[in-house]
Amino acid sequence: MASPFPGMDPFLERHWFDLHAQLVTLAGTALNKSLPDDLVARVDERVAADKQIDPRIFDAEERTERYIAVTQVEGGELVTVLEVFSAATKLPGEDRERYLQRRAAWLASGANVVEV
């Protein structure tokens, strides 16, 4: 049966956090095989909270967001950030705004940003 949601796979959406973590980890491993010796790709993470406000209850669920930071081996200067988007960073809202602020800070520091 064809998906009722063109462009989106409901199966993947149910398993997005696992898929995202594996994709970032495998991409970091692949990058390290091809980067010059003076650069290293590391999986980094940040914790974000999903806030759902209801008049009767406040519920916040924490989630870990992973991304790849390519840095210089000596000195650790950030060279490139590879961000694999999720629905939270693609769609309008607080998560998107926080991502845009992080991206602006990375770019202001002189780092490259790759968005997948």
Side-chain angles (χ1 to χ4, degrees), residues 15-31:
H15 305 285
W16 177 247
F17 293 115
D18 179 56
L19 176 66
H20 187 272
Q22 289 189 42
L23 179 61
V24 170
T25 301
L26 292 172
T29 300
L31 275 171

Side-chain angles (χ1 to χ4, degrees), residues 12 17-18 25 35 39 47 50-52 55 59 64 71 74 82 84 91 98-99 101 103 105 109 115:
L12 292 179
F17 293 115
D18 179 56
T25 301
L35 285 173
L39 298 177
V47 176
D50 286 332
K51 296 177 186 170
Q52 297 176 350
D59 186 19
T64 301
T71 60
E74 241 179 80
L82 190 143
V84 178
L91 301 174
R98 280 193 297 272
Y99 170 71
Q101 290 172 358
R103 182 178 70 178
S109 76
E115 300 170 334

Side-chain angles (χ1 to χ4, degrees), residues 46 66-67 81-85 89 99 106 114-116:
R46 60 187 164 267
R66 291 171 181 84
Y67 60 97
V81 174
L82 190 143
E83 179 85 28
V84 178
F85 275 0
T89 50
Y99 170 71
W106 290 327
V114 178
E115 300 170 334
V116 179

Side-chain angles (χ1 to χ4, degrees), residues 2 4 11 18 25 35-36 47-48 56 59 62 68 79-80 88 96 116:
F11 176 79
D18 179 56
T25 301
L35 285 173
V47 176
R56 298 162 296 193
D59 186 19
E62 287 186 350
I68 297 171
V79 175
T80 301
R96 173 87 177 144
V116 179

